[in-house]
Amino acid sequence: MKRRVYLVDDHPIVRQGLIKLIEQEEQLEVCGEAGSVGEALGEIRELAPDVVLVDISLEDSNGLELIKTIDDLGLQIPTLVLSMHDESLYAEHALKAGASGYVMKQAASSTLIQAIEKVLDGEIYVSKVMSSQMLKLAFRSGGEVRRSGTEALSLRELEVFELIGRGNSTREIAEQLNLSVKTIETYRAHIKDKLHLRSGTELMQKAIHWVENESHR
């Protein structure tokens, strides 16, 4: 029997490409797709796929919130994150949320298929580089990975913080996350409060420094 994959990504073109890729594999088939958490959750409960492939940035919420909900409902369906976000910044958050693996969209198609198969076999998938990095951090900190204050940020705030650190303007961030400029300004204010920063300049400097440090860990 073919193993059934459910796709959650807010870009229809991306979903179409994934469907073509996955259905080339004899042992896999796509049983459903959605662009939002609200649309996906009901179908996932009804279809009971063997694995859910989910992006982090979605229309109505954060993909990691969907992963947490699947876990909280006790559906026992493994989830694999496929995202444009840097693995070194987000893989750990995804695994803590309950995901069974993390693949960047820039990875080769063969890597994605390998990750799906590994997750279906009940294993965890991250790249070799990320696996090595996480092991080093765990040993150095006695199992507790310490972050530079960003652990206080929500997942959406962390997304905004990363995009600030990569040089994006408020309007550019709003466009990338499908949110309003006012909403991004609110997130910026919350981030400044949580990280005890006094100005937009301090926020940008902190974000740039964080992205550079995390990318080279």
Side-chain angles (χ1 to χ4, degrees), residues 153-170:
L153 303 181
S154 70
L155 292 169
R156 183 62 91 182
E157 288 165 353
L158 189 65
E159 281 185 281
V160 173
F161 188 60
E162 180 198 350
L163 290 171
I164 292 171
R166 296 191 183 282
N168 292 274
S169 68
T170 298

Side-chain angles (χ1 to χ4, degrees), residues 148-201:
S148 54
T150 55
E151 64 275 355
L153 303 181
S154 70
L155 292 169
R156 183 62 91 182
E157 288 165 353
L158 189 65
E159 281 185 281
V160 173
F161 188 60
E162 180 198 350
L163 290 171
I164 292 171
R166 296 191 183 282
N168 292 274
S169 68
T170 298
R171 185 168 297 280
E172 288 170 338
I173 296 171
E175 290 174 355
Q176 289 189 52
L177 299 182
N178 296 315
L179 299 171
S180 69
V181 170
K182 186 174 181 180
T183 298
I184 300 302
E185 289 173 345
T186 300
Y187 280 126
R188 287 175 62 99
H190 289 167
I191 295 167
K192 283 195 294 183
D193 287 343
K194 289 182 177 182
L195 299 184
H196 309 292
L197 303 172
R198 293 170 294 181
S199 67
T201 300

Side-chain angles (χ1 to χ4, degrees), residues 37-142:
V37 171
E39 182 185 356
L41 191 56
E43 289 197 345
I44 290 170
R45 297 179 74 170
E46 179 182 350
L47 296 170
D50 294 300
V51 63
V52 175
L53 189 61
V54 58
D55 194 2
I56 288 180
S57 300
L58 299 172
E59 291 176 0
D60 58 344
S61 184
N62 189 293
L64 299 193
E65 294 302 324
L66 173 61
I67 291 170
K68 286 182 179 178
T69 302
I70 290 172
D71 192 48
D72 290 344
L73 291 172
L75 298 179
Q76 297 185 333
I77 300 171
T79 51
L80 174 64
V81 173
L82 177 65
S83 178
M84 67 175 183
H85 292 293
D86 193 327
E87 182 187 39
S88 66
L89 305 180
Y90 282 88
E92 185 185 333
H93 290 277
L95 296 179
K96 284 182 177 179
S100 295
Y102 195 103
V103 182
M104 291 183 64
K105 286 183 175 178
Q106 297 92 321
S109 57
S110 59
T111 299
L112 175 58
I113 298 302
Q114 179 188 0
I116 291 173
E117 291 174 344
K118 195 164 185 177
V119 168
L120 284 168
D121 286 339
E123 299 181 52
I124 298 293
Y125 181 87
V126 292
S127 70
K128 290 182 180 180
V129 172
M130 189 64 202
S131 178
S132 176
Q133 174 180 309
M134 292 176 73
L135 281 171
K136 287 178 182 177
L137 287 171
F139 278 116
R140 288 174 184 170
S141 58

